[in-house]
Amino acid sequence: MRHTIFHLLATISALFCADAYAAMDSHEYKECAALTRTDPAKALQVANEWSHRENAAPAFHCRAIALFALKRYPEAAKELGELSTRIGQSNITLWANVLRQSAKASELSGDNAQAVVSLTSAIGPVSAEGLKDQAVARIASELLLERSRLYNISGRQMFAVQDLDQALELSPDNVSIMLARARLFIEMKQDKLADRDIEQALQIQPGNPEAIKIRGLLAPNSHEQQLIAPNEK
C-alpha cells in the first residue's frame, strides 16, 4: 500500500509543478505531499487549512492523497473525481492521471464499477489525443490496461481482451501489455494466441524473465513446449 501512495505522489506532483498550476507555491504542495508519507493525518489538516485559505487545486489534491493514505478511499475517490472536473481536459495528461487515481481509490474501496466509470471517462479523449502524441498514447494504453484488469476481475474477459487489443494499437511495442494479454489468453484456454504474444514479447526483449515464466504456464498444455527464449535456442 505504501508503494501505491508513493506512485500516486510521484505521478501527480511532477505534473502539478510543470503545469498550469506552476504559479502556485510548489514548495507548499511538496511539503504537504511529503507529509502524507509520514503523517497523513497532519497532511490532511495542512491541506484543509490550505484549501480554506486558498482555492488551489494542489491543496485539494494533497487533501485527496492524504485521505488515500489514511485508507479513507471513498472520500479520496470523490475528491479526486471532483478535482478532475475542475482541471478539465485542457491539460489532458493531468486530467487523466487524476481520474486514474480516482479509479484506484474506488477500487480499493470495493467499488470496481465506479473505478471502471472513472477510467472510461478518461480513455476516449486520451486515446484520441494519443493518435497524435506518443506520450499521451502511453497514458491511454496504461488506462486501458487498468480497465482490462478490472473487466477480467468481473468476468468480462472479452471486454478485457478488447481493451488490451486497443492498448497495443496505441503502444505496439509495450511488452507489459503483450504479457498481460498472454496471461488472459491462458485463462481463456487460448494457448496459441498466448504463445503468439509471448513470442512477440521475446522478440522485443529477448530473455525477458516474465515472458519465460508465462510460457512455463503454457508448457503442460502446449504441443510446442517452448520453454526458452528464442536467442537461447
Side-chain angles (χ1 to χ4, degrees):
M1 189 59 60
R2 289 177 64 83
H3 173 75
T4 302
I5 188 64
F6 289 173
H7 175 72
L8 294 181
L9 285 167
T11 300
I12 203 70
S13 60
L15 286 167
F16 267 124
C17 294
D19 197 54
Y21 302 114
M24 303 299 297
D25 183 6
S26 60
H27 178 70
E28 189 168 7
Y29 175 77
K30 287 179 179 179
E31 282 194 342
C32 185
L35 263 180
T36 66
R37 299 181 174 96
T38 58
D39 190 347
K42 178 65 175 177
L44 181 59
Q45 179 185 344
V46 168
N48 284 336
E49 291 172 355
W50 183 10
S51 63
H52 290 148
R53 182 178 71 251
E54 192 173 353
N55 188 28
F60 290 104
H61 186 262
C62 190
R63 171 180 161 78
I65 57 177
L67 290 167
F68 190 103
L70 290 166
K71 300 184 180 181
R72 292 165 59 177
Y73 301 125
E75 295 170 82
K78 182 176 183 292
E79 192 91 14
L80 289 161
E82 291 173 354
L83 182 58
S84 72
T85 300
R86 172 180 177 150
I87 293 168
Q89 296 180 36
S90 58
N91 184 321
I92 199 161
T93 55
L94 179 59
W95 173 74
N97 273 291
V98 170
L99 276 172
R100 185 179 182 184
Q101 294 177 355
S102 181
K104 176 56 68 176
S106 292
E107 180 188 356
L108 290 171
S109 71
D111 192 350
N112 283 6
Q114 182 56 47
V116 168
V117 168
S118 295
L119 292 169
T120 301
S121 297
I123 284 169
V126 177
S127 296
E129 188 68 23
L131 297 174
K132 301 177 288 184
D133 186 323
Q134 189 58 44
V136 178
R138 285 194 296 272
I139 294 171
S141 65
E142 290 169 0
L143 293 169
L144 286 158
L145 180 62
E146 284 292 304
R147 191 174 69 176
S148 172
R149 181 178 58 80
L150 292 172
Y151 276 149
N152 190 33
I153 289 171
S154 66
R156 303 169 73 183
Q157 291 182 321
M158 290 308 301
F159 285 97
V161 170
Q162 289 170 9
D163 273 0
L164 295 175
D165 290 345
Q166 185 181 347
L168 283 169
E169 288 175 8
L170 289 163
S171 300
D173 295 330
N174 190 311
V175 168
S176 294
I177 297 173
M178 287 176 202
L179 296 180
R181 191 169 67 175
R183 282 190 178 274
L184 183 55
F185 280 141
I186 290 172
E187 289 181 27
M188 298 170 69
K189 303 189 186 306
Q190 297 289 333
D191 285 6
K192 288 184 179 179
L193 294 175
D195 194 61
R196 182 192 65 186
D197 279 345
I198 295 166
E199 189 70 29
Q200 186 175 358
L202 288 169
Q203 287 174 3
I204 296 170
Q205 293 182 4
N208 180 289
E210 183 67 13
I212 296 170
K213 178 181 178 181
I214 296 173
R215 174 164 283 168
L217 300 176
L218 277 176
N221 301 313
S222 172
H223 295 295
E224 297 182 0
Q225 297 287 315
Q226 296 179 348
L227 297 177
I228 59 175
N231 68 322
E232 295 174 343
K233 292 181 179 178

